[in-house]
Amino acid sequence: MSKSNDTIAKKIITGIAISVGGTVITEGFKLIKNSVVPTINVGEWDNAYNNINKLIYKIDKDKYDKYRSPTTNNDWYELSCDTTYFIKLKDKNYIKVEAFKNKDEKKFYPEQRLKLSFIGNKKYIYRRQFLDDALKLTDEKHIQVKYLNDCGLTCDVIPHDFNKIVLDKNVKSRIINGLINWKNSKQWYEDHELVHKIGVFLYGKPGTGKSTIAKAISKMFNNAPILTIEPSNIMNSISGIFRMRKKYNGTIIVLIEDFDLYFKSREELENMELDYEQRKRKDANQNAIFQLLDGIYSTDNTIYIATTNFKDRIDPALIRYGRFDIQEELDYFNYDDALKCVKLLGYSKDVLDNFKLEYPVQPSYLQSMIMQYRSSLLVKGKLV
């Protein structure tokens, strides 16, 4: 904030005494009299905390850097405790920024909070715009992954583009075209009173890139947030999906990895001696998954992605069409696929041939070989 802005802030804090009709009031009082100052008050454990700090940083970088709390994570933004300053917006509007510890909490580690107070004749408009930006779950460089467990952990992962994935062209085409057709058919779903959702089932050997494809699908939909199901408490996960849907209007992805581990097939269940509580729990879990994929728990604008290394272990009823309309098997690389992968990572045919691999080769193993080769160049000072 400039020196002049600091002066304005001081005026708001201390007020300038003026006389109106014989009554002494202050300039600061004029800005907030007869109104409730709209605020945003968020704690460090809230999902939007870092986003709101980032927005404050972008509005006035110099002022934020002056009070920024030291951190080893350059992507984490936080102000030092007991910080207060003002940001000037347009049309004589301001944001009062306050960072403080919640001292009322009787905890060993009181939560740090950030409070923004919007002041001026357009305070509600600015607050709404600020909230719209702060509550965005994605940006161009990150995909938010939320684990639907009791802890509610979230993390950001790097998006992946289908153009940088080596995949059979027919498989890639069917996945991409199927999702584009689904996206463009929203009105048809509404006209026929159907939930606008789609299932993608990816199966194949380990290390073939099933999770990478999930990230590429996310990027197709503006880095759609990915929610992962908690197998030990599926109903809790479903509640988490509902909560996300209430505050996020874009496409969301519900990812169910290692789908075969969630349930035994009907044939296996018939050959197992389960007590009443075990069978009851399995029946409840399976029914919840049915209702999530194609029933009362299905949510609009949702892509359900299930992955497995063992398709034959899954009850066919769980993966029928209607629940999963896109079903694709992923396989190991032949030589041509391996060469495409090596070139995508910046190396030549000679490098691949020097590996002396047996084909077909596991994609993840090939990537590991390339990383080892790159490390050897680094040690030798020949990294290119």
Side-chain angles (χ1 to χ4, degrees), residues 345-348 351 373-378 380-384:
L345 294 173
Y347 294 97
S348 67
V351 171
Y373 174 73
R374 181 177 173 81
S375 296
S376 69
L377 293 179
L378 183 62
K380 297 174 183 177
K382 298 180 180 180
L383 183 63
V384 293

Side-chain angles (χ1 to χ4, degrees), residues 91-287:
D91 306 319
K92 296 183 179 180
N93 287 267
Y94 305 88
I95 303 176
K96 180 183 179 183
V97 180
E98 300 173 86
F100 57 93
K101 289 283 188 182
N102 192 350
K103 297 178 181 178
D104 293 335
E105 289 186 348
K106 295 180 180 179
K107 295 181 179 179
F108 177 75
Y109 181 81
E111 183 182 35
Q112 173 134 335
R113 302 196 67 83
L114 179 68
K115 181 180 178 181
L116 309 180
S117 301
F118 292 78
I119 303 168
N121 60 348
K122 294 184 178 179
K123 54 184 175 290
Y124 294 105
I125 295 174
Y126 278 115
R127 181 179 181 273
R128 169 50 56 192
Q129 291 176 346
F130 195 94
L131 278 174
D132 287 344
D133 290 336
L135 292 176
K136 288 180 179 177
L137 300 179
T138 59
D139 58 37
E140 67 278 4
K141 295 182 179 180
H142 301 93
I143 297 171
Q144 184 185 100
V145 177
K146 185 175 183 64
Y147 300 92
L148 299 175
N149 51 26
D150 292 336
C151 297
L153 297 175
T154 61
C155 69
D156 289 337
V157 298
I158 299 172
H160 216 105
D161 195 290
F162 268 112
N163 292 328
K164 296 182 179 180
I165 295 177
V166 177
L167 192 61
D168 178 89
K169 64 179 182 180
N170 292 322
V171 172
K172 184 185 295 187
S173 177
R174 286 193 295 267
I175 293 174
I176 293 174
N177 290 337
L179 289 168
I180 291 174
N181 290 337
W182 169 77
K183 178 182 178 181
N184 295 335
S185 299
K186 183 173 178 60
Q187 188 60 51
W188 181 87
Y189 278 81
E190 291 181 2
D191 291 343
H192 292 83
E193 299 181 349
L194 298 172
V195 178
H196 186 232
K197 53 86 181 174
I198 191 169
V200 180
F201 181 60
L202 304 174
Y203 61 97
K205 298 174 181 177
T208 50
K210 294 181 283 294
S211 298
T212 301
I213 290 177
K215 290 190 288 185
I217 291 174
S218 170
K219 186 169 184 180
M220 281 183 64
F221 292 86
N222 299 317
N223 292 352
I226 298 174
L227 313 181
T228 66
I229 294 291
E230 168 60 42
S232 64
N233 194 336
I234 295 176
M235 288 306 299
N236 185 61
S237 296
I238 291 172
S239 295
I241 295 169
F242 288 166
R243 289 193 296 273
M244 175 68 78
R245 180 45 75 211
K246 285 181 179 179
K247 66 179 182 179
Y248 185 70
N249 196 41
T251 301
I252 62 174
I253 292 173
V254 176
L255 178 61
I256 314 171
E257 293 191 288
D258 297 318
F259 200 39
D260 57 288
L261 299 181
Y262 283 66
F263 311 102
K264 298 293 183 181
S265 68
R266 290 178 182 173
E267 288 76 12
E268 288 178 294
L269 285 173
E270 289 173 358
N271 295 323
M272 291 175 62
E273 291 186 4
L274 299 178
D275 63 32
Y276 174 77
E277 287 301 323
Q278 288 177 311
R279 188 174 293 277
K280 182 179 178 181
R281 186 164 56 252
K282 287 184 176 295
D283 287 344
N285 277 350
Q286 185 152 312
N287 181 62

